[in-house]
Amino acid sequence: MTDGETGRVFRLAYVPGVTPAKWVNVWTERIPDVPITLVAVPAAEVVGLLRDGGADAAFVRLPIDRDGLSVIPLYVETTVVVAPKDHAVTAADEVALTDLTDDEVLHPLDDTIEWPVRPGLPAFTRPDTTANAVELVAAGTGLLLVPQSLARLHHRRDLTYRPVPEAPQSQVALAWPKDATTELVEDFIGIVRGRTANSSRGRTPAAPAEKPAQRQAQKSAKNGSGRRPVPAGRKRKGNRPR
């Protein structure tokens, strides 16, 4: 750790549905001298948080405005339909978009799935958040299409979900400000990408301690003897008898 990083904290933001625990655990083991702080932030606010310096890096849902940001796509999530347990769509293991033609489908303002054409019928309102939309589904006023992790996050006993293979999918990515690619950010990128602690872009491990024989050899060289030390167990050669 450089002198400028002494006492620093790495601030990691994440949007709903993303679980950063496995990466945080690696950070804690690998870089224990720099605490990591988690910042939960709505998907619609994460880009502004990064640009304002409120976090060093963030897990985001694509698409986002990438201006001034570096972005590494990580994984794609299955899209599911959230419905009451007694709804007709729950009879199948998977749901086609055409199965939703006669249903009202809620479209929350924080939706991050890109829809060329939204399925189903427009709902009577656009809820502010996915959490609000889930409440409306529970009230029987429509269905909801979300990434599977959000369906799990907002799980309720009276609701269930089914995969919708034909639907567009949400992609999770790691983002950070281009002009703030610090050593700590590079460390976290390495962790997310699965690099080992000794990789070329990870932190440089401490040099191993010199062995006594190595120190003695270096000392002899400094004294100007110019002779190489004789390995243990090998006898010096004498003058051969004539």
Side-chain angles (χ1 to χ4, degrees):
M1 184 173 65
T2 63
D3 292 340
E5 290 173 355
T6 303
R8 284 201 58 190
V9 173
F10 186 72
R11 300 160 302 163
L12 176 65
Y14 64 99
V15 296
V18 176
T19 305
K22 64 179 181 180
W23 297 296
V24 172
N25 289 340
V26 175
W27 176 282
T28 302
E29 293 173 0
R30 191 174 296 179
I31 315 175
D33 53 331
V34 180
I36 187 167
T37 298
L38 296 178
V39 183
V41 59
E45 299 176 13
V46 66
V47 170
L49 182 74
L50 286 173
R51 288 179 177 154
D52 292 341
D56 298 295
F59 288 111
V60 303
R61 287 189 184 277
L62 302 181
I64 59 171
D65 180 359
R66 299 193 182 199
D67 186 32
L69 300 178
S70 294
V71 178
I72 300 176
L74 298 177
Y75 59 90
V76 174
E77 285 196 72
T78 299
T79 298
V80 302
V81 57
V82 180
K85 285 189 172 181
D86 58 356
H87 194 281
V89 298
T90 65
D93 293 333
E94 296 182 344
V95 176
L97 291 176
T98 53
D99 295 335
L100 308 176
T101 301
D102 298 327
D103 287 286
E104 290 189 3
V105 178
L106 295 156
H107 185 198
L109 294 175
D110 64 354
D111 183 18
T112 59
I113 298 176
E114 286 191 307
W115 294 96
V117 178
R118 290 196 61 80
L121 303 173
F124 71 100
T125 185
R126 288 197 66 184
D128 291 334
T129 66
T130 298
N132 295 147
V134 170
E135 295 295 328
L136 293 175
V137 174
T141 58
L143 305 181
L144 177 64
L145 288 153
V146 292
Q148 183 169 309
S149 65
L150 288 181
R152 290 173 176 168
L153 177 66
H154 299 292
H155 172 71
R156 291 173 51 115
R157 292 184 178 180
D158 52 348
L159 300 180
T160 189
Y161 60 85
R162 294 289 185 272
V164 186
E166 301 172 338
Q169 297 176 314
S170 172
Q171 188 168 28
V172 173
L174 179 68
W176 68 95
K178 287 181 179 178
D179 59 358
T181 308
T182 64
E183 182 180 337
L184 294 179
V185 170
E186 289 284 6
D187 285 333
F188 192 74
I189 293 170
I191 289 171
V192 170
R193 284 183 161 173
R195 297 192 193 112
T196 64
N198 295 327
S199 67
S200 60
R201 295 185 69 180
R203 288 184 176 268
T204 303
E210 293 180 349
K211 296 180 180 180
Q214 291 175 323
R215 289 199 298 269
Q216 182 61 40
Q218 291 175 356
K219 184 177 180 181
S220 298
K222 289 180 181 179
N223 290 337
S225 66
R227 297 179 181 176
R228 296 181 181 177
V230 178
R234 184 185 297 178
K235 296 181 179 179
R236 292 182 180 271
K237 294 182 179 179
N239 295 328
R240 294 183 179 178
R242 294 182 182 273

